[in-house]
Amino acid sequence: MKPLLLDHPPELWLLPCSEKYRQAQVADWIFKKRASSFAEMSNLSAALRTELAEAFDLAPLTLVTCQGDGGSTRKYLWRLRDGSLIESVLIPATEALYGEKSDRMTLCVSTQVGCAYGCHFCASGLDGWKRNLSPGEIVGQILEAERQSGERVNNLVFMGMGEPLANFDSLMSAIETINCPEGLNIGARHITISTSGLAPRIRDLAHYPKQLRLAISLHGATDEVRERIMPVNKKHPLRELVDACLFYQQHKGRIITLEYILIQGVNDSLDQAQKLAQLAGILHAKVNLIPYNTVEGLPWERPPQTTVTAFAKTVQSRGVTATVRTEKGGDIDAACGQLRLKTEQAAARQE
Ligand code: SAH
Ligand code: SF4
């Protein structure tokens, strides 16, 4: 396979043309004019275009299917050059994750093929971990989603398939390209990294100079409950996670978001709500409550609306900002990893 041009930020490209302005022209074609081939780069000589096409691949992925249409949530299933499948979800402002109205166009991006962390409720980890995405495969999801939808993405959440902080170097390299003015020019404050709780990597992130947003997939307010559904808690228990979050906040001064899926009979008791409020208080964090999106083949269920409301009220009554995320993607398999899983299961049935 040829090297992927997008695997490095534009300032590190080793193009056959060494002149700076030529490099800037190529970056302009890719990130501003959204060219999908070197052949389109009409202000480069034909010889150079051929040379570039011989030296590099431009497209890291191709579209397999898109669910959803128009101004609503769209879910893209992509095929990578080695045949692996990953997903991205485009979420327009009215359906934005944090419920605020704005011109926000959010893309939920994957960072790995599969996931090694195996949270018991999640479709992404069901088949285990296959490999890390390269920086170009991360950046390519944005470019291709924009091309397919005709929209401009201005907000990114690393909440697709995979554990972003377990692919730290590729993630950071992709963020350089996403953030730099000659790249996609999306501000760090519009980029959210979600983690299941890799405490040492949260500390690494605290040393990273950009002001990225951090979301923690907590899903349990005590070790006992968290451990039942998230094996990562055995390696990095709550105490270690909370310490790492405090360290992050001291270094960054950024508000952390605690993501909390509500699963019936598992983590939806009012006792958990009180303990969640306590943790949020210690961390000065806001809380996002997400009624569980059922996954075919898994036993977990979403609690009734009355339970969700009572849980939210209990958290809020302790002075914590908590919102219930209305799940708009349920009908298009928008929960992480579900579309890929279905496609692979269908393919396996055909074999
Ligand atoms: N690995 C990272 C980022 C990807 S998962 C992490 O876990 O944070 C993105 C979010 O989707 C996580 O908060 C995850 O817990 C949540 N999620 C996974 N399966 C879900 C489901 N079936 N319904 C609702 N949320 C789900
Ligand atoms: Fe992996 Fe996140 Fe899914 Fe857990 S919730 S299995 S860490 S993608």
Side-chain angles (χ1 to χ4, degrees):
M1 250 185 295
K2 286 182 221 170
L4 199 52
L5 190 59
L6 292 175
D7 272 347
H8 301 281
E11 78 270 18
L12 299 180
W13 285 349
L14 295 171
L15 303 185
C17 48
S18 55
E19 306 96 319
K20 271 268 169 258
Y21 81 99
R22 284 268 179 246
Q23 306 229 353
Q25 279 175 325
V26 177
D28 190 62
W29 275 108
I30 294 172
F31 297 112
K32 313 295 176 205
K33 302 196 182 91
R34 308 298 158 101
S36 53
S37 70
F38 292 110
E40 285 166 59
M41 303 182 180
S42 54
N43 56 358
L44 306 183
S45 72
L48 178 55
R49 279 182 266 167
T50 311
E51 231 180 314
L52 284 167
E54 276 166 4
F56 296 103
D57 266 353
L58 197 49
L61 40 83
T62 52
L63 182 69
V64 181
T65 53
C66 172
Q67 292 185 357
D69 50 36
S72 63
T73 296
R74 270 147 286 174
K75 177 148 187 163
Y76 298 100
L77 181 71
W78 313 114
R79 180 170 285 110
L80 302 173
R81 294 184 303 165
D82 68 351
S84 300
L85 299 175
I86 56 160
E87 309 170 356
S88 320
V89 184
L90 186 69
I91 309 154
T94 48
E95 302 190 13
L97 294 175
Y98 301 109
E100 302 152 15
K101 288 224 162 174
S102 66
D103 59 358
R104 206 184 262 181
M105 185 58 73
T106 300
L107 191 71
C108 177
V109 177
S110 293
T111 52
Q112 299 183 311
V113 183
C115 183
Y117 287 84
C119 302
H120 299 328
F121 50 81
C122 175
S124 288
L126 280 182
D127 277 344
W129 175 88
K130 191 165 162 196
R131 70 172 175 86
N132 282 335
L133 295 190
S134 74
E137 289 169 332
I138 296 173
V139 174
Q141 294 172 60
I142 308 162
L143 287 171
E144 203 48 42
E146 290 188 336
R147 210 170 277 131
Q148 294 292 338
S149 64
E151 307 279 5
R152 246 332 131 84
V153 171
N154 54 20
N155 197 51
L156 279 184
V157 292
F158 286 97
M159 294 185 182
M161 191 188 298
E163 168 52 54
L165 294 188
N167 186 12
F168 199 85
D169 293 347
S170 290
L171 176 73
M172 291 305 146
S173 170
I175 286 175
E176 289 298 319
T177 305
I178 290 163
N179 185 231
C180 73
E182 57 280 14
L184 284 166
N185 203 15
I186 298 176
R189 287 162 201 272
H190 297 278
I191 301 174
T192 303
I193 297 176
S194 176
T195 178
S196 58
L198 272 61
R201 296 286 88 75
I202 292 172
R203 287 173 183 269
D204 291 343
L205 203 61
H207 293 297
Y208 184 70
K210 295 190 198 293
Q211 291 286 3
L212 304 165
R213 287 173 184 257
L214 181 63
I216 307 292
S217 293
L218 197 69
H219 310 333
T222 53
D223 280 321
E224 191 250 325
V225 169
R226 205 167 184 264
E227 228 164 81
R228 266 180 74 191
I229 45 177
M230 301 181 76
V232 68
N233 197 73
K234 289 212 177 67
K235 205 164 173 204
H236 305 295
L238 267 178
R239 183 61 204 260
E240 190 189 337
L241 177 57
V242 169
D243 281 350
C245 289
L246 285 170
F247 182 81
Y248 181 85
Q249 259 183 343
Q250 278 154 12
H251 279 71
K252 296 296 201 195
R254 304 285 303 162
I255 298 273
I256 291 175
T257 305
L258 300 179
E259 306 276 330
Y260 197 100
I261 307 179
L262 286 163
I263 310 176
Q264 187 171 14
V266 174
N267 63 359
D268 59 348
S269 70
L270 296 186
D271 178 57
Q272 283 292 301
Q274 283 168 18
K275 296 201 161 94
L276 172 60
Q278 262 168 22
L279 280 178
I282 293 168
L283 293 171
H284 304 290
K286 55 179 189 174
V287 171
N288 248 330
L289 299 171
I290 311 141
Y292 181 64
N293 214 337
T294 44
V295 176
E296 230 177 271
L298 294 183
W300 318 100
E301 277 175 33
R302 174 182 291 208
Q305 190 55 44
T306 46
T307 309
V308 173
T309 309
F311 193 97
K313 285 223 167 96
T314 304
V315 178
Q316 287 157 348
S317 69
R318 281 156 177 76
V320 173
T321 307
T323 47
V324 178
R325 191 196 290 170
T326 42
E327 193 63 71
K328 296 284 170 83
D331 53 339
I332 59 162
D333 301 323
C336 132
Q338 287 183 52
L339 185 59
R340 165 184 177 256
L341 190 72
K342 275 194 185 166
T343 309
E344 293 201 329
Q345 282 166 349
R349 277 197 294 272
Q350 277 164 17
E351 272 165 17

